[in-house]
Amino acid sequence: MWQQPGLQRKDLSELKGWRDDSRNGLNDARQVQPSPTLTSDALRQTNGEMTNSSSRQAPATLRITRMKLLVIEDEIKLAEYLRKGLSEEGYVVDLAHDGIDGLHLATEGDYDLVVLDSMLPGIDGLAVLAALRQSKPTPVLMLTARALIEDRVKGLQSGADDYLVKPFAFSELVARVQVLLRRANPQRNTAEPSTFTLADLELDLIRRKAQRAGQRLDLTTKEFNLLSLLLRRQGQVISRTELAEQVWDMNFDSGTNVVEVAVRRLRSKLDQPFERPLLHTVRGMGYVLEARD
């Protein structure tokens, strides 16, 4: 595997010229604007018709963003394993399988953290790291099959924030990612609580557990993310379009019923075993999580 020992700013400019112009739109395409939301008490159903309390304007709400990671790893199976596992942890994950693509995405994209393999085709990990450090302070977790202390020291001295030797436990990688993200974004740790409650429903974002009336809810990753979004925005109607964008990270297709299926499955676990429903459908608008009398 060819490795390039270093990369200068001039070389970086030449490498960017190899990329097709259409690649410049890759990250822009992921920036989806939030759909407008309405509070549920502004919309009530009377005699089968929806009435709008026009005198009350829905409050502005912040879009809930998930942290975005870039994994640069040439081993396809390992890369897919990391993508799947980190996605299940609630992150948005992009992949690159060589140094050239990885460097382009890392410098042009807006990532909260980069997981970078040290041995890459095209440009090696240390060269990618050196080039990235010329323009961005993005936290970098290096992966390597080299266990020598000298190699780890070299990686840290080159600008890596942490180092993990292969093979590694996925739980350790997640823990290191969380530490680096907390260190790089201290304001995000205090801006939002880690637990949410509504009536007898409790949700713990850190432990990724949900329970109602003391009974644990056995939720899939998507169901947990869906419930998390609805609970954070409790009392507000969220459209199917916005749910698809934020939970599935996709532009909504009216021919897809993925949202309805997920809501139905979540409702079967969240509401059906209990007397008081919390997840409600607002016809023609979307869904709302609230405790109604």
Side-chain angles (χ1 to χ4, degrees), residues 9-278:
R9 187 177 295 276
K10 178 180 178 182
D11 300 321
L12 175 59
S13 301
E14 293 175 355
L15 284 170
K16 288 181 179 178
W18 297 358
R19 303 294 127 206
D20 188 86
D21 291 340
S22 62
R23 190 181 291 275
N24 294 332
L26 175 62
N27 292 290
D28 292 337
R30 289 183 172 270
Q31 302 294 325
V32 216
Q33 295 300 320
S35 304
T37 60
L38 296 175
T39 54
S40 61
D41 58 353
L43 291 170
R44 294 301 181 199
Q45 191 171 10
T46 305
N47 297 327
E49 297 180 353
M50 299 299 296
T51 61
N52 189 348
S53 302
S54 58
S55 60
R56 301 183 59 184
Q57 185 174 359
T61 59
L62 294 175
R63 178 178 176 82
I64 297 169
T65 57
R66 291 187 291 160
M67 287 192 173
K68 190 175 179 182
L69 310 184
L70 173 63
V71 175
I72 309 176
E73 169 61 62
D74 63 326
E75 295 181 37
I76 304 299
K77 289 185 177 180
L78 176 58
E80 287 298 328
Y81 172 76
L82 294 178
R83 182 197 62 76
K84 182 177 184 296
L86 290 170
S87 296
E88 291 176 350
E89 291 294 325
Y91 301 107
V92 175
V93 183
D94 287 341
L95 292 182
H97 299 301
D98 61 63
I100 296 174
D101 285 342
L103 178 57
H104 176 81
L105 289 175
T107 53
E108 297 298 324
D110 185 17
Y111 294 97
D112 294 288
L113 182 138
V114 175
V115 178
L116 175 63
D117 185 29
S118 61
M119 301 285 289
L120 293 169
I123 311 172
D124 73 7
L126 291 179
V128 171
L129 177 60
L132 178 62
R133 284 292 174 256
Q134 293 179 19
S135 59
K136 286 190 174 183
T138 308
V140 174
L141 172 59
M142 291 283 293
L143 304 180
T144 182
R146 299 172 176 173
L148 295 178
I149 294 179
E150 292 81 359
D151 293 321
R152 283 180 279 175
V153 170
K154 185 177 180 181
L156 293 171
Q157 290 177 339
S158 299
D161 296 274
D162 200 356
Y163 220 85
L164 192 57
V165 178
K166 301 177 181 177
F168 52 82
F170 179 73
S171 58
E172 181 181 2
L173 180 135
V174 171
R176 290 176 183 267
V177 166
Q178 292 172 343
V179 168
L180 292 178
L181 290 174
R182 284 198 301 268
R183 187 185 303 165
N185 302 275
Q187 69 281 1
R188 298 180 84 161
N189 300 324
T190 58
E192 182 182 71
S194 60
T195 59
F196 293 86
T197 60
L198 173 64
D200 57 354
L201 172 65
E202 299 178 12
L203 184 120
D204 188 328
L205 295 178
I206 302 299
R207 300 170 63 192
R208 294 188 69 81
K209 292 183 179 180
Q211 63 178 16
R212 184 168 182 191
Q215 300 181 30
R216 180 169 178 173
L217 305 179
D218 187 15
L219 305 177
T220 66
T221 299
K222 291 301 183 185
E223 289 167 354
F224 184 90
N225 292 340
L226 177 60
L227 178 60
S228 172
L229 174 59
L230 290 165
L231 191 53
R232 282 163 161 150
R233 303 261 294 271
Q234 57 184 275
Q236 299 174 5
V237 178
I238 306 179
S239 68
R240 295 161 67 237
T241 299
E242 188 172 359
L243 290 175
E245 289 172 353
Q246 294 206 36
V247 177
W248 285 267
D249 194 30
M250 70 181 207
N251 293 324
F252 185 70
D253 181 359
S254 59
T256 301
N257 67 342
V258 61
V259 175
E260 289 86 347
V261 171
V263 168
R264 183 168 63 249
R265 290 176 177 172
L266 175 60
R267 184 174 278 147
S268 69
K269 300 175 182 179
L270 175 67
D271 284 342
Q272 288 184 6
F274 305 94
E275 293 183 3
R276 189 183 188 187
L278 297 177

